[in-house]
Amino acid sequence: MALGRVLVIGLDPVRIPGWDPEPVVAAIARGQARFDDHGIEADMCLVVPDENAEGAIVEALTGKDYACVVVGGGIRKHEPLLEFFEKVVNLVRQHAPRAAIAFNSSPEDTADAALRWLR
């Protein structure tokens, strides 16, 4: 049974200065593998808020038909990004209105977040 395509919107750990991205990159890879384990097609849209992130998100949202969009914790949990988080949610509502919106707690449980809405 096909569950529908998922878009994951998150911060690009490689392009955020001042910290070691490797643990997050590894966690994202493990999370992507969980999508593969469930046979779910999942696309990543990794952005940096001050580098035309909104344009990249709109392009991703309109490029394919998504059953669910997962917004990552890096965008949601970091209080200085609250306004950006609101923009992301509203972009999803505007450009993928039929998609469920889900939230993960870490890159590794992103598939679980999507599965709550795909079943």
Side-chain angles (χ1 to χ4, degrees):
M1 164 175 80
L3 294 175
R5 182 178 286 274
V6 174
L7 177 64
V8 180
I9 301 173
L11 296 181
D12 186 341
V14 174
R15 294 180 16 222
I16 296 175
W19 65 299
D20 178 13
E22 291 309 314
V24 177
V25 169
I28 290 171
R30 288 189 298 274
Q32 186 67 34
R34 298 219 44 239
F35 279 113
D36 296 342
D37 292 344
H38 288 283
I40 299 170
E41 294 182 72
D43 300 320
M44 301 291 290
C45 178
L46 300 178
V47 298
V48 175
D50 57 354
E51 293 181 6
N52 190 29
E54 292 175 46
I57 292 167
V58 169
E59 184 177 332
L61 288 167
T62 58
K64 296 180 182 157
D65 187 29
Y66 291 103
C68 184
V69 177
V70 180
V71 180
I75 292 172
R76 246 183 20 267
K77 296 178 181 181
H78 188 57
E79 190 171 338
L81 294 180
L82 177 61
E83 184 178 344
F84 180 65
F85 170 56
E86 291 173 340
K87 287 179 185 179
V88 170
V89 170
N90 283 294
L91 288 172
V92 174
R93 288 181 54 233
Q94 180 179 1
H95 297 284
R98 295 182 318 191
I101 300 174
F103 305 109
N104 65 0
S105 61
S106 76
E108 293 182 45
D109 74 357
T110 304
D112 298 315
L115 282 167
R116 289 192 295 267
W117 296 98
L118 293 176
R119 295 190 175 167

